[in-house]
Amino acid sequence: MAHPFATLTPDLVLDAVESIGFLSDARILALNSYENRVYQVGIEDSEPLIAKFYRPQRWTNEAILEEHQFTFELAECDVPVVAPMIHNGVSLHEHAGFRFTLFPRRGGRAPEPGNLDQLYRLGQLLGRLHAVGATKPFEHREALGVKNFGHDSLTTLLEGNFVPKSLLPAYESVARDLLKRVEEVYKATPHKNIRMHGDCHPGNMMCRDEMFHIVDLDDCRMGPAVQDIWMMLAGDRQECLVQLSELMDGYNEFHDFDPRELALIEPLRALRLMHYSAWLARRWDDPAFPHSFPWFGSERYWGDQVLALREQLSALNEEPLKLF
């Protein structure tokens, strides 16, 4: 069967944008996106718009609208975020079976790894994000947990026969040992789930005109605040400690961070490693994935994963990072 995105042609994209009242100039540029499909569409006598077409059957309408509402709340509190455009009174549109949303075009560059001045400002931005996120829960979006990101990921990989037979015993063994340790740390670590970004890597915190803004809340969900923090850190342990101190100085100006959550950094990193492999597996029927990730089925990739999970298991037994 053809993949659902196979019918999302450039003409259909232009027709969708014009179906809600915009007049395109027929210029279209596909942007880097795998989970969804995102395009820059030229508009007659105006700035181009960004059109995001949601992957069919991934989110319910209620979950997508909940993401939009969270973004609107952030914008209303003057948190710099690229929010969906409301057109004809709505932010979620449909055309030819595809749900889509329009955004203003907002460029920028990712933060520099280890830049302490930028980390302080990023901390401020994350603190403001979480101050809004902590005011109420999501009702239609799942929480990040050991089961869905860990155990379900392992099930996907094993039942789908994605791991080469030569490496299957080693991968399954270390993955199960790792998940057991992750569960132990999770249970022993006090933490509170709040609405958070969910995929807060540096590429989703863009800088333009010396100001940072948040983009792409497609993966927003309930989870511990530290999930949006640890991906801002880079380098060895000592470098991370210095960076964390700067990040938290900015963060705590706007929202109180519970330092006990720092013990979840390595468990969350472990879950992200496994979830990423399972994400590739679940999307393998999408032609864009074999084309863009040809190494996924190779023994080298899975050998590297076995080593990465072993290193992660070792990291879980080390002393967690602590604030100065």
Side-chain angles (χ1 to χ4, degrees), residues 5 39 47 49 53 103 108 121 124 135 150 157 168 179 181-182 186 194 213 216 228 253 265 291 304 318:
F5 278 137
Y39 304 89
E47 288 290 315
L49 298 177
F53 289 78
F103 295 84
R121 290 185 288 151
Q124 291 178 312
T135 57
L157 296 171
L168 181 58
L179 288 175
R181 184 72 183 112
V182 166
Y186 242 80
I194 63 171
H213 58 270
D216 192 11
D228 282 350
E253 289 182 9
I265 289 180
H291 175 76
D304 288 344
E318 295 179 1

Side-chain angles (χ1 to χ4, degrees), residues 220-324:
C220 65
R221 63 189 72 231
M222 300 295 292
V226 73
Q227 168 65 12
D228 282 350
I229 290 169
W230 71 264
M231 279 186 278
M232 295 289 111
L233 308 177
D236 60 28
R237 182 181 177 88
Q238 190 57 43
E239 289 172 318
C240 286
L241 285 169
V242 175
Q243 294 166 20
L244 179 64
S245 178
E246 203 68 23
L247 197 65
M248 287 293 98
D249 281 348
Y251 185 97
N252 284 315
E253 289 182 9
F254 295 93
H255 189 63
D256 291 332
F257 177 74
D258 184 348
R260 294 176 297 181
E261 286 192 9
L262 293 175
L264 292 180
I265 289 180
E266 297 307 332
L268 289 167
R269 195 193 310 273
L271 292 176
R272 186 172 177 85
L273 280 169
M274 297 186 66
H275 185 261
Y276 179 75
S277 293
W279 173 67
L280 292 175
R282 291 166 183 149
R283 299 293 181 253
W284 208 240
D285 64 335
D286 182 337
F289 279 71
H291 175 76
S292 300
F293 308 99
W295 36 259
F296 177 60
S298 69
E299 290 206 358
R300 180 175 180 178
Y301 171 78
W302 288 103
D304 288 344
Q305 288 303 297
V306 170
L307 290 176
L309 296 190
R310 285 175 178 165
E311 290 174 357
Q312 202 55 39
L313 184 57
S314 176
L316 276 163
N317 292 321
E318 295 179 1
E319 186 73 16
L321 293 179
K322 291 185 178 179
L323 292 172
F324 285 71

